[in-house]
Amino acid sequence: MEGSVPPEPWWCTMRVLIQLRPSPDVVAAVADPDVTATTADVADGLPGVVLDPSFTPVAVPRPVPAAGGDPLSLNQSLTFSLSADDASVMVRGEISDDELSTRVTLLPTLRNDVVGVFADPVIESNLTCGGDAPVGDWHDVERLLHVAELHAEGLDGSGVALAVLDTGINAAHVARHLGRDLLLDKERSWNPDGVTGRPGEFEVNHGTMCAFDTLIAAPRATLIDIPVLLSQRPGGSALDGLLSDAVAAFAHLRTVLEAQPAETRSLVISNSWGSFSPRWDFPVGHPGNYSDNPAHPFNLIVASLEQAGADVLFAAGNCGRDCRDGRCAYPDRPIAGANSHPGVLSIGGVDTGGQRVGYSSQGPGRLALRKPDICSYTHFSGSKAFGAGEPDSGTSAACPVAAGLVAAIRTRWPVSALSPAQLRTLLRRTADDRSDIGFDYDYGYGVTDTPGVLASLRRRAMRVA
C-alpha cells in the first residue's frame, strides 16, 4: 500500500492489558475513586509479563445481559456492574518473549485470577493529508450549524460538561481566536500517569484545535481537559499514546458523570483519535484483539459509560479511499475498535460546501457495520492551531464540531429527558441525506441538520408537556 508502513509481525514485543479478577476487597478498592490502588496491590507478578508500576489499575465493569442473552453481543440491551463481586481489574504490561502467543494462551491457565490478555495498541490523532487550502472559515460553520437559532432557544452548552480527549488544551489560544472567554473545569480534568502540565496550559496543538471546534456551537459548555495522547511510550511521538490510558481516562469520566445529579446529568466526550494499524494489535479472531472485539476492556468501558448517560463521539478517521493518511494500514474497513462501536457517534467529514472530504474514512465499521453515523464540518479556517493559513481539518475537526452540537442540545435536554441512544437516533433521522438510498458508507445517514433537530425537539417537548 503506497505511503503506509508495513505491519510488523503481531507476535513481536508488544504492550498488553491484563484483565484480572482479584479478591472482592481489592476490586472494591480499585473501583473507589477516593482510593488509589497500585499495580502491586493487584498483581504480585505474572509469568513472562513485565508489569508497568506507573499505571494505576482500572476497574472494568461486567456486562450483564438480559436472561438468556449473550454478554458479548452488541445487538442487545446490556447492563454493567461495578460491584466487587462482578467487576474485574485491568493492569498494563509488556510481553517481550518471542513466544508471545504461547504466553497469552497459557496465562489464564497458569493463574486462575487472569481473565484475559488484550492488545494495548497505539492510538494516534487524526491528522490529514495536507496541501489543500481551507474551505471557508469557522463563521461559515457557525452559520451552517444555525448557531443563532440554537442560542435563541437557550441551547448554548451552559452547564454541560464536554471532555476533550486529545493532546491537551491551550485555553488562552482558544479564547484569543474565538474572541471570548471559555469555561474550563480544572478540578474534573485529568492527566494520564506520567503526563505533567496543568489543564488549559498545554502547548498549542491538535487538542487546542479540537477544543476550539467544540465551542463553535456550544460556547458556554464547560471543557474538561484530558491529554490522553501525551502519554509517552518508547519510540512514540508527541501525538500518540496507548489505549490503556484511554481506558483510565474513561474510568475517570465515569466518576465525573456519576457525581452529577441524575435529573440534570450530561457529559459529552469528543475523541479525535483512533488505531490506524493492526501492527500493534492481536489478529482478528484472537481473544486479545481490539479492532473487532466487543469484549476488549476499552470497548466494554465505552459501552458502560454510554449506558450510564454519556454521549460518546469518535472521529471516523482519515483513511478514505480518495486521500488516505499515510499511517493507514488496514486493507479495508478502517473504522475500527471503539470508533465503530454501536454506542458511539462515528463522525465523518464534509467541507463547508457539503461535499465529503476525500480523507474521511468510509464504512463498513468493524464492531458495527453502519459507520460512519453522520458527517459534520471540517477543513475550514478556525483555531489556527497549526498556523495562520492552515485549516482545522480531518475528521479530527468534524468530531468536535459535532460534539459541540450535541453539547448545545444537552443544555435543555439532559439524559433524564433524552437518552444517548435517543439522541443518536434523532441526529441520524434528521440528518441531511446525501444519497438516494438513505444510509451509505460515505456520508452515513447524512450531514447534521440543526433545523431538523430543533423541529424534532419541539415536537417532543409538546408531547411531554
Side-chain angles (χ1 to χ4, degrees), residues 220-285:
R220 303 310 298 164
T222 301
L223 296 180
I224 296 177
D225 192 0
I226 310 283
V228 72
L229 294 181
L230 293 185
S231 60
Q232 295 299 303
R233 63 180 180 88
S237 74
L239 289 177
D240 63 33
L242 291 166
L243 191 65
S244 48
D245 291 310
V247 174
F250 270 62
H252 166 74
L253 289 172
R254 183 175 182 117
T255 68
V256 169
L257 184 67
E258 292 180 342
Q260 298 176 0
E263 64 275 11
T264 59
R265 182 170 293 176
S266 60
L267 173 63
V268 182
I269 307 173
S270 181
N271 302 274
S272 291
W273 50 267
S275 178
F276 283 81
S277 169
R279 65 186 296 203
W280 301 104
D281 202 352
F282 288 106
V284 175

Side-chain angles (χ1 to χ4, degrees), residues 345-365:
L345 280 170
S346 178
I347 309 298
V350 295
D351 63 25
T352 56
Q355 296 299 309
R356 176 185 158 271
V357 290
Y359 47 71
S360 184
S361 291
Q362 293 136 310

Side-chain angles (χ1 to χ4, degrees), residues 58-363:
V58 175
V60 179
R62 178 188 175 210
V64 181
D70 179 0
L72 300 185
S73 173
L74 295 171
N75 299 314
Q76 64 173 320
S77 177
L78 297 172
T79 58
F80 290 85
S81 173
L82 270 174
S83 76
D85 290 326
D86 289 335
S88 54
V89 174
M90 191 196 78
V91 296
R92 180 168 76 185
E94 185 176 79
I95 297 181
S96 56
D97 195 345
D98 289 339
E99 299 178 352
L100 176 62
S101 58
T102 302
R103 293 281 187 194
V104 170
T105 302
L106 286 179
L107 265 177
T109 63
L110 295 173
R111 292 277 297 263
N112 59 13
D113 59 342
V114 176
V115 177
V117 181
F118 300 87
D120 184 12
V122 172
I123 55 175
E124 301 176 271
S125 58
N126 286 303
L127 298 175
T128 184
C129 47
D132 292 344
V135 181
D137 63 21
W138 71 275
H139 293 294
D140 293 309
V141 176
E142 197 175 40
R143 172 179 54 81
L144 290 162
L145 291 174
H146 295 262
V147 169
E149 292 179 46
L150 285 168
H151 294 181
E153 301 214 11
L155 305 179
D156 61 2
S158 295
V160 177
L162 204 172
V164 178
L165 276 68
D166 212 272
T167 63
I169 299 168
N170 188 292
H173 180 96
V174 173
R176 183 166 61 252
H177 288 276
L178 273 177
R180 54 180 177 254
D181 291 335
L182 59 87
L183 301 173
L184 189 142
D185 191 327
K186 295 184 178 182
E187 293 299 319
R188 294 189 291 179
S189 296
W190 176 89
N191 286 4
D193 292 321
V195 174
T196 58
R198 292 183 293 188
E201 299 181 17
F202 292 96
E203 291 185 13
V204 176
N205 210 315
H206 193 264
T208 298
M209 177 195 77
C210 294
F212 179 99
D213 293 341
T214 65
L215 299 179
I216 295 174
R220 303 310 298 164
T222 301
L223 296 180
I224 296 177
D225 192 0
I226 310 283
V228 72
L229 294 181
L230 293 185
S231 60
Q232 295 299 303
R233 63 180 180 88
S237 74
L239 289 177
D240 63 33
L242 291 166
L243 191 65
S244 48
D245 291 310
V247 174
F250 270 62
H252 166 74
L253 289 172
R254 183 175 182 117
T255 68
V256 169
L257 184 67
E258 292 180 342
Q260 298 176 0
E263 64 275 11
T264 59
R265 182 170 293 176
S266 60
L267 173 63
V268 182
I269 307 173
S270 181
N271 302 274
S272 291
W273 50 267
S275 178
F276 283 81
S277 169
R279 65 186 296 203
W280 301 104
D281 202 352
F282 288 106
V284 175
H286 188 284
N289 170 262
Y290 164 64
S291 65
D292 295 60
N293 182 10
H296 188 281
F298 186 60
N299 294 328
L300 287 178
I301 282 184
V302 167
S304 70
L305 197 55
E306 183 272 344
Q307 187 206 64
D311 298 298
V312 185
L313 293 86
F314 272 89
N318 298 334
C319 298
R321 288 187 292 272
D322 307 292
C323 178
R324 296 172 67 90
D325 186 302
R327 298 168 296 174
C328 300
Y330 285 106
D332 58 11
R333 299 172 65 192
I335 309 176
N339 301 62
S340 66
H341 197 286
V344 314
L345 280 170
S346 178
I347 309 298
V350 295
D351 63 25
T352 56
Q355 296 299 309
R356 176 185 158 271
V357 290
Y359 47 71
S360 184
S361 291
Q362 293 136 310

Side-chain angles (χ1 to χ4, degrees), residues 153 413 418 426 429-430 449-465:
E153 301 214 11
W413 291 89
L418 190 70
L426 170 65
R429 191 180 68 243
T430 60
D449 179 16
T450 299
V453 169
L454 291 175
S456 182
L457 290 175
R458 292 186 198 109
R459 290 192 296 269
R460 187 180 184 91
M462 291 178 64
R463 290 196 301 269
V464 173

